[in-house]
Amino acid sequence: MLNKYTIYFKGKTKAWRFLAIFAASLLSVFIAIAVLNYNINPLRYSTNAHSKVANYLSKGLNYEIFDPNINWRMLRREHIRQMPTTPEIIVFGGSRFQEASSKLVKNKSFYNAFIHSDYLEDMFALTKLLLDAKRLPKTLILSIRYQTFVPFEKRDSNDWLTFASEYRAMAKSLSVTTPSLFKTFSLEDWTELFSVEALKQQLELRGSVASQPGPTKEALSKEFDLIKADGSMAWSAEHQKLFTEKYALKDALNKFKRNEKKRLETDPELVVALGKLIEFLQSQGTRVVFAQTPFHPVYYSKMLNTPYGEDLQRIEMEAHRLAKAHNTIAVGSFDPNKIGCPVSTFIDWHHANGDCLVKIFNAIPELGN
C-alpha cells in the first residue's frame, strides 16, 4: 500500500533522474560541439596539424588556408623546430607585417615570423624558440607596436599566452620578473571549442569553396589565403577584391571613433625588460632592428590631436630611445607620411600592403634593395 511518503520519494527520484538525463544530454551536446570544432578547425587547436603544415613549409611549399584566423604561435613553434637552415634575416611583429615576403630582401635568406596581437612577451618567447633550435639570425627585426608595453591587466587579447612557457623560461634566464602561473594560464582557446557560433562560421567557410586547402607551389590562390614558405601570408584573389580604398577609409573612420577617447598605458618594467632582451641577443651575435608600421593616413591624422595620438608619439619616441641606448636603429613610423605610404597602400585602418612595407625595409642599412 502506497502512502504519501512513498509517493513523495518516488516523485523526487523521478525528478533527479530527469535532471541527470537532461544534464548528461546537455553535456553530450557540448562535447559533440567541441569535437566538431576541434576537427573542423585543426589549425586553431591541433599541434599535430600545425606540425604537418610546418613540414610542408620547411620543404619550400606554400600552404592554403580558409582564413588567417589560425593559431600562428603554434605554427611558429613547430616551423622553427623544423627549419633546415638558419635564416639570415627574421622579422617578428603582428599581422601588420603579414605581407612582408622574401621579395623585400635581396640575396639574403629571410623568414617572416609574424603572429597576431603581439606583445613584449612574444619577443621573449620567439627568442627562446630560436635559441633552442639554434636558429638565431644575423638580423632580427622587431616591431614595437602601439600596445607592445601595455600592462598585463589592460590588454585586449590573451593570444600571447600560447607562448607563456617559452616567455617564462626566457624571462627567468634574464632575471626578468614574470606574472604568476595563474595569471599566465588561459582557458579562452579551449572554451571557444564549445562555441556554436565558431562552428557555424567554420561550416560556412568550408561550404563557400569547391575544394579543400592543402600544400601548393602556386604563389596565389583564387579561393584560399596562403601561408608562404618564407612565413609570410598572401591574400586570396577573392579577398584582395574586398580591399578597396573605400573599404579602408570606412574602417579607418570607424576605428577612430572607437579609439579617440582611449589612452595607451605603458608599463615601465616592460620597457626595461626589452632592453635586457636586446643586450642578450646582441651578445649572441644577432643585430636587433626596430621597425614600426604606419596607420592609415586618415586615422593617424585624426588621432594626432587626441591624448591617444600623444601616446602614439610617446611610444614611437620610446622605440628610438631604446635603439639609441643599445647602439642599433629604429625605422618606420606610426605616421604614414614619414614613410611615404599613401591611402592606396592600406587594406584597412592599420594594415599596409607590400608596397608600403618595402619602404620600411629599404630604410634598414644592408637590407635595402
Side-chain angles (χ1 to χ4, degrees):
M1 180 177 178
L2 297 175
N3 56 40
K4 61 179 182 179
Y5 297 107
T6 305
I7 294 172
Y8 172 77
F9 283 114
K10 281 192 173 183
K12 289 277 286 185
T13 302
K14 286 182 178 179
W16 280 110
R17 186 180 300 162
F18 172 79
L19 286 174
I21 293 172
F22 177 77
S25 299
L26 194 61
L27 180 61
S28 297
V29 171
F30 277 116
I31 291 174
I33 292 171
V35 170
L36 286 170
N37 268 321
Y38 186 92
N39 285 285
I40 202 171
N41 194 11
L43 290 182
R44 183 69 181 170
Y45 307 104
S46 171
T47 298
N48 186 51
H50 287 90
S51 181
K52 288 181 178 178
V53 173
N55 185 257
Y56 286 120
L57 299 178
S58 296
K59 293 177 179 177
L61 293 171
N62 300 329
Y63 198 89
E64 300 165 327
I65 53 177
F66 286 106
D67 69 25
N69 294 311
I70 67 172
N71 192 327
W72 288 99
R73 288 169 177 80
M74 197 177 288
L75 177 63
R76 300 308 179 198
R77 180 186 288 137
E78 297 303 315
H79 196 183
I80 288 170
R81 288 172 178 172
Q82 296 184 38
M83 279 183 178
T85 59
T86 301
E88 293 174 90
I89 302 162
I90 292 179
V91 60
F92 181 70
S95 57
R96 305 163 318 282
F97 278 96
Q98 61 196 6
E99 293 190 55
S101 72
S102 55
K103 292 181 179 179
L104 302 183
V105 180
K106 278 188 178 179
N107 303 318
K108 288 182 174 65
S109 55
F110 171 87
Y111 181 62
N112 186 341
F114 86 87
I115 54 175
H116 286 175
S117 301
D118 54 312
Y119 291 100
L120 175 74
E121 291 83 357
D122 291 305
M123 297 183 191
F124 276 75
L126 177 79
T127 300
K128 177 62 175 172
L129 287 168
L130 293 171
L131 185 66
D132 288 350
K134 298 181 180 179
R135 291 290 177 260
L136 281 173
K138 291 181 180 179
T139 299
L140 179 59
I141 303 169
L142 296 176
S143 172
I144 293 181
R145 72 170 180 132
Y146 62 104
Q147 290 192 335
T148 294
F149 304 119
V150 169
F152 178 80
E153 65 277 4
K154 298 293 181 66
R155 297 177 180 181
D156 57 13
S157 171
N158 287 324
D159 286 354
W160 72 271
L161 293 175
T162 298
F163 271 168
S165 60
E166 288 89 354
Y167 154 65
R168 295 180 69 86
M170 193 69 227
K172 182 179 180 180
S173 70
L174 298 181
S175 300
V176 170
T177 303
T178 62
S180 67
L181 279 171
F182 178 77
K183 288 185 176 181
T184 55
F185 179 77
S186 174
L187 288 174
E188 283 187 18
D189 279 350
W190 300 105
T191 54
E192 190 180 88
L193 274 172
F194 301 97
S195 169
V196 175
E197 185 61 30
L199 178 59
K200 180 183 176 183
Q201 290 176 355
Q202 291 301 317
L203 288 171
E204 288 176 349
L205 273 175
R206 281 146 182 78
S208 66
V209 295
S211 58
Q212 293 298 307
T216 179
K217 292 183 179 180
E218 299 299 321
L220 177 67
S221 170
K222 178 183 178 182
E223 297 179 313
F224 301 111
D225 298 328
L226 289 181
I227 305 172
K228 300 176 76 173
D230 64 11
S232 64
M233 200 195 83
W235 294 104
S236 69
E238 293 299 322
H239 269 153
Q240 290 183 34
K241 291 178 183 178
L242 303 175
F243 301 142
T244 62
E245 288 187 29
K246 182 178 180 181
Y247 170 82
L249 175 59
K250 181 179 179 181
D251 190 57
L253 293 172
N254 287 339
K255 196 66 177 181
F256 166 72
K257 290 177 182 178
R258 290 196 294 270
N259 285 350
E260 63 177 320
K261 295 181 180 180
K262 294 182 180 180
R263 296 301 303 262
L264 290 168
E265 294 186 43
T266 295
D267 184 341
E269 290 189 12
L270 296 182
V271 179
V272 172
L274 180 53
K276 291 185 177 181
L277 183 65
I278 298 167
E279 290 174 359
F280 171 79
L281 287 164
Q282 290 174 331
S283 74
Q284 300 298 304
T286 295
R287 177 178 70 146
V288 176
V289 174
F290 292 129
Q292 290 171 291
T293 56
F295 292 98
H296 188 284
V298 172
Y299 175 86
Y300 188 79
S301 64
K302 284 183 170 293
M303 274 297 183
L304 271 181
N305 297 319
T306 68
Y308 190 101
E310 294 174 5
D311 294 336
L312 287 177
Q313 294 177 70
R314 171 177 49 79
I315 294 167
E316 182 167 329
M317 288 175 62
E318 192 67 74
H320 285 272
R321 185 195 68 76
L322 278 167
K324 184 177 180 180
H326 295 282
N327 195 31
T328 185
I329 63 169
V331 299
S333 173
F334 293 142
D335 184 350
N337 295 316
K338 287 184 179 180
I339 307 171
C341 295
V343 294
S344 61
T345 61
F346 287 83
I347 65 174
D348 60 19
W349 72 284
H350 75 147
H351 288 102
N353 63 24
D355 292 337
C356 175
L357 295 176
V358 69
K359 296 179 180 181
I360 298 172
F361 277 73
N362 283 346
I364 302 174
E366 301 176 15
L367 263 68
N369 294 329

